[in-house]
Amino acid sequence: MQAWYKGAVWLWLLAPFSALFSLISKGRRVLFSVGLKAQHKTPVPVIVVGNLSVGGNGKTPVVVWLVEWLREQGYHPGVISRGYGGQSEHYPLLLTSETQADQAGDEPVLIYRRTGCPVVVGPKRAEAAALLASVGADIIVSDDGLQHYALARDIELVVVDGKRRFGNGHLLPMGPLREGLWRLKTVDAVINNGGPAQAGEFLMTLMPGALQSIDDNPTEPAPCAAHTVHALAGIGHPPRFFATLEQLGFVLDQQVALADHKAVASEQLDHLQSRPLLITEKDAVKWPGGHTNTWYLPVDAQLPSAFETMLLTRLKELENGD
């Protein structure tokens, strides 16, 4: 909702609803903290990668980075997710190479295909975590779920959009926040996607890779910098993707922004046939076909060595029972 980031005065009409949201949210936290609502503790450590605001902030690249980094440290990680945008006949759902985005959601499928690690989706994260531990994961990464207090966690990481940050700073629905900014003081680390990073934040940069064709045997060569292309993005903040393409030197003709997690309909591509079409990797996992010259842009997170040092310290503390 763009009004959250533009200081729209009419949002004050929603202040009573934000106050109610705050009351309910605080009540839930209290019930978990005093034990009136039970928290599920898994037999293996849990790292939550979440955010305070609604919309895409760059959690998925962090999850992929974590999985690969944890493997380098000798762990066998797995990922749990709510699976937004998917509808399975049963939960929890352990992904396989046959699982489609309409079953599990686009982000879990992307994570599974990029990493090959076990991924489980389900509305009850405790059940998903239990299944993941049963198939051999010795550490669990939760994609989102910072506010899902039913699942106990050992490390909390918050991802912040460096440009949009927290909008007007108000709670839903008056603003974009799920919890107040006070929550940042309780987490293990704040990761700033794109900068500028503020004091105490770890700066993450997203490095674009080489364009990949949607087709296994493309009939056209990949477009290069200075080529005019169309662009499509169904992510939390499509302008970030369009800006990345322009920074890489592409000239954007038509820019199509879709809602986050929204599947692309084939008829939406009819007016994009005249040029190569560049899309996000998240859109690629739910691509309907219908445009033969389509390429997706993978991105990889880069995080500073200080962040790795912090993680290693926290994991050693967990091993030592601290």
Side-chain angles (χ1 to χ4, degrees), residues 229-233 238-243 245-246 251-258 271-272 277-278:
V229 299
H230 298 315
L232 180 147
R240 184 190 295 124
F241 176 67
F242 302 145
L245 294 180
E246 291 176 333
V251 179
L252 304 189
D253 184 354
Q254 297 190 57
Q255 302 176 30
V256 180
L258 302 178
H271 67 292
L272 301 175
L277 177 61
L278 304 189

Side-chain angles (χ1 to χ4, degrees), residues 93-100 103 109 112-113 119:
L93 173 67
L94 177 66
L95 272 65
T96 71
S97 59
E98 304 300 319
T99 307
Q100 300 299 311
Q103 297 172 285
V109 173
Y112 179 79
R113 293 181 181 178
V119 177

Side-chain angles (χ1 to χ4, degrees), residues 304-320:
S305 58
F307 179 74
E308 297 183 49
T309 300
M310 181 278 299
L311 270 182
L312 279 174
T313 300
R314 288 291 294 117
L315 289 172
K316 288 179 180 178
E317 291 172 348
L318 293 174
E319 291 175 0
N320 295 330

Side-chain angles (χ1 to χ4, degrees), residues 138-190:
D138 57 15
I139 191 166
I140 292 172
V141 179
S142 177
D143 178 21
D144 209 356
L146 186 67
Q147 292 78 29
H148 192 86
Y149 292 108
L151 178 65
R153 67 286 309 270
D154 301 281
I155 298 175
E156 292 183 325
L157 308 176
V158 168
V159 184
V160 175
D161 186 309
K163 299 294 188 296
R164 297 185 298 163
R165 294 197 68 82
F166 308 106
N168 59 17
H170 293 292
L171 294 175
L172 291 165
M174 185 180 173
L177 298 185
R178 300 171 176 176
E179 291 184 286
L181 296 180
W182 61 268
R183 188 70 166 84
L184 296 177
K185 298 178 181 179
T186 69
V187 302
D188 294 274
V190 177

